[in-house]
């Protein structure tokens, strides 16, 4: 409720100050191109209004700043620090035109199953390395640093991604990555990569505590033994027995989280084709942001605000070996 109030309040303030910058999602790709027209100047102006709705302010001391003539930069009236709207953001030091950033962001948030770096490479006419780096920077901005916990009726399940090998039975977990998921009925999802190979009691209970409030009304899972004991005085635990081909019993089911797994795996098969365990969390963050904002008509604008609030991401961070 607090999140929705803040979003509505910020949206109202942005509308009062810059009504044309709201850009609801009926603004399709054609309208987006028509609005910015491949112009970095228009893109920069849009970012400036988003970042400084009350006028430009210094990134260091917060004082008002004055536009420098004939340059896309500002000079702080107090400390005289010179900066641009992209300084200290994910855009910092990027040689890619801003209008390509805008187009890539729109395509990623509007593609229900995601968009591969190869597809962006062809669409934006850039190298694969540039497209791959661009995708990961946008995903980085989508990451929820302190996500709120779920409550009410919450479905929890686990799935295994990757590791497909020839001549190996379906029950084998060799090379697979376990992903844990929780969804609040009619609400948001929380997805996590677990380094363990099996859904142990410790891993499942820790995930439940991490993603749900103490007074969650109901937790619904399958019959996996690791979930035993997650109920308490405020929370009931109900299960469906998939092994006995029981999928629904009244309103007891895990169909919502199963639908999330289906959509995520379709994005791998249809868009990415394969993703590494090292970057699995990043793909899950992108999927989680897009799913949780599925009813947000200002998704493009809110994603651009995320990009402005995210620090610079070095390429070497992506290619260094996992710890």
């Amino acid at each position: 409720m607090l999140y929705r109030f803040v979003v509505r309040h910020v949206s109202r303030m942005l509308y009062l100050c810059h009504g044309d910058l709201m850009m609801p999602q009926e603004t399709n790709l054609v309208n987006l191109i028509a609005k910015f027209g491949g112009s970095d100047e228009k893109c920069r102006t849009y970012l400036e209004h988003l970042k400084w709705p009350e006028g430009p302010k210094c990134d260091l001391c917060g004082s008002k700043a004055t536009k420098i003539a004939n340059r896309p930069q500002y000079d702080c009236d107090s400390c005289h620090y010179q900066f641009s709207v992209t300084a200290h953001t994910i855009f910092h030091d990027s040689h890619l035109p801003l209008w390509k950033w805008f187009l890539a962001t729109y395509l990623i948030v509007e593609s229900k199953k995601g968009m591969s770096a190869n597809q962006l490479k062809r669409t934006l006419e850039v190298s694969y390395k540039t497209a791959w780096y661009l995708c990961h920077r946008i995903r980085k901005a989508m990451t929820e640093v302190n996500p709120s916990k779920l409550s009410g009726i919450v479905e929890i399940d686990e799935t295994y991604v990757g590791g497909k090998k020839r001549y190996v039975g379906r029950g084998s977990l060799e090379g697979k990555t376990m992903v844990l998921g929780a969804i609040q009925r009619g609400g948001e999802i929380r997805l996590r990569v677990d380094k363990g190979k099996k859904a142990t009691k410790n891993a499942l209970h820790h995930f439940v505590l991490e993603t749900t409030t103490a007074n969650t009304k109901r937790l619904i899972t399958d019959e996996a033994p690791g979930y035993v004991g997650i109920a308490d005085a405020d929370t009931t635990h109900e299960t469906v027995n998939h092994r006995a081909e029981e999928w629904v019993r009244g309103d007891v089911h895990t169909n919502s989280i199963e639908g999330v797994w289906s959509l995520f795996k379709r994005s791998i098969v249809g868009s990415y084709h394969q993703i590494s365990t090292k970057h699995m969390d990043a793909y899950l963050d992108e999927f989680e942001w897009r799913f949780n904002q599925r009813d947000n008509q200002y998704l493009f604008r809110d994603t651009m605000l995320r990009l402005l609030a995210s620090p610079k991401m070095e390429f070497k961070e992506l290619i260094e070996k996992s710890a």
Side-chain angles (χ1 to χ4, degrees):
M1 291 298 292
L2 179 60
Y3 170 78
R4 292 176 182 173
F5 171 78
V6 171
V7 169
R8 285 198 298 268
H9 178 70
V10 172
S11 298
R12 181 174 179 272
M13 292 302 295
L14 283 171
Y15 179 79
L16 291 174
C17 297
H18 309 285
D20 63 323
L21 297 180
M22 293 297 289
M23 292 195 65
Q25 284 307 87
E26 61 258 32
T27 300
N28 55 32
L29 184 59
V30 173
N31 293 334
L32 183 79
I33 295 173
K35 182 177 180 65
F36 297 107
S39 169
D40 268 23
E41 184 179 352
K42 291 180 180 179
C43 294
R44 191 174 293 275
T45 299
Y46 179 76
L47 293 178
E48 289 173 353
H49 287 310
L50 280 182
K51 188 174 183 179
W52 305 309
E54 298 177 356
K57 293 184 179 180
C58 178
D59 289 342
L60 297 184
C61 67
S63 301
K64 291 184 178 180
T66 304
K67 180 79 165 59
I68 300 175
N70 302 320
R71 288 167 58 186
Q73 291 182 313
Y74 292 85
D75 183 80
C76 177
D77 294 345
S78 178
C79 67
H80 297 291
Y81 172 68
Q82 295 184 353
F83 58 94
S84 69
V85 69
T86 59
H88 311 297
T89 71
I90 206 81
F91 302 103
H92 188 67
D93 280 349
S94 173
H95 298 292
L96 191 69
L98 283 176
W99 69 267
K100 289 194 175 185
W101 273 93
F102 276 43
L103 184 56
T105 301
Y106 184 88
L107 290 172
I108 288 174
V109 298
E110 272 293 286
S111 302
K112 191 174 183 180
K113 298 175 186 175
M115 180 162 287
S116 69
N118 257 321
Q119 181 63 49
L120 274 185
K121 167 194 167 183
R122 294 188 292 269
T123 303
L124 301 181
E125 295 185 342
V126 296
S127 69
Y128 176 77
K129 178 180 177 181
T130 297
W132 185 79
Y133 186 23
L134 177 61
C135 287
H136 274 289
R137 282 181 287 183
I138 294 173
R139 290 186 188 109
K140 178 70 174 180
M142 293 177 176
T143 304
E144 286 279 6
V145 179
N146 294 305
S148 59
K149 292 188 175 184
L150 307 179
S151 60
I153 302 176
V154 180
E155 298 176 26
I156 301 171
D157 194 26
E158 73 285 343
T159 191
Y160 295 88
V161 180
K164 185 177 180 180
K165 295 184 178 181
R166 299 180 66 184
Y167 313 118
V168 177
R170 292 181 60 185
S172 173
L173 300 181
E174 182 183 354
K176 293 183 180 291
T177 301
M178 183 170 72
V179 179
L180 304 176
I183 183 170
Q184 182 175 318
R185 288 268 177 93
E188 298 187 347
I189 59 173
R190 299 289 181 263
L191 306 175
R192 301 284 186 278
V193 170
D194 192 282
K195 294 181 179 180
K197 294 293 183 181
K198 295 184 179 181
T200 63
K201 182 176 182 179
N202 182 59
L204 296 178
H205 281 233
H206 180 74
F207 178 69
V208 171
L209 290 173
E210 186 182 51
T211 56
T212 63
T213 61
N215 60 347
T216 298
K217 186 177 180 181
R218 299 164 66 192
L219 295 173
I220 302 177
T221 70
D222 57 23
E223 74 290 349
Y227 291 113
V228 174
I230 60 174
D232 56 31
D234 298 319
T235 308
T236 61
H237 176 211
E238 300 164 82
T239 65
V240 283
N241 192 346
H242 290 169
R243 291 183 179 179
E245 296 191 0
E246 179 188 46
W247 312 109
V248 180
R249 189 178 66 255
D251 68 342
V252 180
H253 61 79
T254 58
N255 292 346
S256 303
I257 189 65
E258 294 285 355
V260 170
W261 297 143
S262 177
L263 184 58
F264 180 64
K265 290 182 178 181
R266 284 172 185 268
S267 71
I268 297 176
V269 174
S271 296
Y272 307 122
H273 304 306
Q274 60 180 1
I275 57 180
S276 68
T277 300
K278 175 183 176 181
H279 297 299
M280 183 80 72
D281 268 322
Y283 287 93
L284 289 173
D285 288 338
E286 176 196 340
F287 182 85
E288 187 175 314
W289 167 255
R290 191 166 49 238
F291 186 93
N292 291 342
Q293 301 296 319
R294 60 195 180 278
D295 296 324
N296 183 0
Q297 61 177 331
Y298 303 114
L299 177 55
F300 175 78
R301 182 209 63 193
D302 289 349
T303 306
M304 296 308 297
L305 283 168
R306 285 295 190 97
L307 292 171
L308 285 170
S310 298
K312 177 183 176 182
M313 184 182 195
E314 298 283 357
F315 185 75
K316 62 183 179 182
E317 294 178 37
L318 291 169
I319 61 175
E320 63 185 4
K321 294 183 178 180
S322 302

